[in-house]
């Protein structure tokens, strides 16, 4: 019985190696990319690309273990979830209120250290941000949020609502 189970389990494990999710890779920069709509300094953009873009853009750099199932499904789930929360490749297409909210969430994520995710920082040691890098990102995000708030007459109450 145990031998039969191990044989079936091994066969299933081998078979699923041939089933891969569609990779999150675009061939060009989206017209709604944040860099096409807003000023992003080279330093901030470098940090975002290194620590955020794999899950929060339309272009993921996949590690070697993405070719092992069921890890690839797990990674794709996180990429899809990350993009549904914030997608820098589509940021320019968000409403001003949503842009404001997402930027304030970036500030909060750096202040409270919940982004990048701990497992991502563990797997990608170079994605861990120093305190000064977190301040650089949150300063940029807060400044841009305030600019969007003023330009679009977003009230304090509207700015704190969850806008999607």
């Amino acid at each position: 019985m145990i031998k039969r189970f191990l044989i079936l389990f091994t066969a299933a494990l081998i078979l699923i190696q041939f089933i891969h999710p569609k990779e999150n890779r675009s061939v060009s920069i989206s017209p709604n990319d944040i860099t096409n709509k807003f000023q992003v300094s080279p330093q901030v953009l470098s940090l975002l690309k290194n620590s955020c873009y794999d899950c929060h853009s339309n272009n993921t750099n996949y590690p070697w273990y993405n070719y092992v199932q069921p890890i690839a499904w797990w990674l794709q789930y996180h990429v899809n979830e990350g993009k549904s929360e914030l997608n820098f490749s589509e940021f320019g297409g968000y409403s001003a209120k949503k842009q404001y909210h997402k930027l304030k969430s970036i500030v909060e994520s750096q202040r409270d250290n919940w982004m990048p995710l701990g497992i991502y920082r563990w797997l990608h040691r170079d994605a861990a941000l120093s305190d000064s890098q977190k301040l650089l990102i949150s300063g940029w995000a807060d400044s841009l949020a305030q600019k969007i708030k003023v330009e679009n007459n977003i009230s304090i109450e509207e700015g704190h609502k969850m806008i999607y």
Side-chain angles (χ1 to χ4, degrees), residues 109-146:
S109 76
Q110 296 310 290
R111 181 192 66 220
D112 296 343
N113 198 36
W114 47 269
M115 280 289 151
L117 294 175
I119 186 73
Y120 187 82
R121 290 190 310 256
W122 184 74
L123 291 169
H124 302 269
R125 301 281 185 195
D126 62 327
L129 298 166
S130 68
D131 289 341
S132 62
Q133 291 170 323
K134 291 176 193 176
L135 284 173
L136 185 62
I137 290 172
S138 60
W140 162 80
D142 193 46
S143 175
L144 183 54
Q146 295 310 315

Side-chain angles (χ1 to χ4, degrees), residues 9-122:
F9 179 77
T10 303
L13 199 57
I14 290 169
L15 286 174
I16 66 171
Q17 300 310 308
F18 298 101
I19 306 169
H20 290 275
K22 184 178 184 290
E23 290 188 341
N24 181 47
R25 293 188 190 194
S26 59
V27 291
S28 62
I29 295 176
S30 165
N32 285 325
D33 191 89
I34 194 167
T35 60
N36 288 335
K37 304 290 182 175
F38 300 102
Q39 181 68 34
V40 184
S41 74
Q43 297 88 351
V44 169
L45 184 59
S46 175
L47 293 172
L48 294 176
K49 284 185 174 184
N50 190 54
S51 299
C52 310
Y53 268 43
D54 277 350
C55 294
H56 296 286
S57 78
N58 290 341
N59 202 5
T60 300
N61 291 315
Y62 289 98
W64 65 268
Y65 49 82
N66 182 62
Y67 301 101
V68 178
Q69 294 297 15
I71 297 171
W73 293 328
W74 179 72
L75 288 174
Q76 197 57 46
Y77 168 79
H78 280 282
V79 169
N80 292 341
E81 186 176 290
K83 285 175 57 176
S84 73
E85 286 296 320
L86 170 64
N87 187 341
F88 288 110
S89 298
E90 303 301 330
F91 191 86
Y94 295 168
S95 71
K97 290 177 187 176
K98 185 173 181 178
Q99 290 172 347
Y100 174 84
H101 169 71
K102 294 302 179 184
L103 289 163
K104 294 307 268 184
S105 290
I106 291 170
V107 173
E108 183 182 319
S109 76
Q110 296 310 290
R111 181 192 66 220
D112 296 343
N113 198 36
W114 47 269
M115 280 289 151
L117 294 175
I119 186 73
Y120 187 82
R121 290 190 310 256
W122 184 74

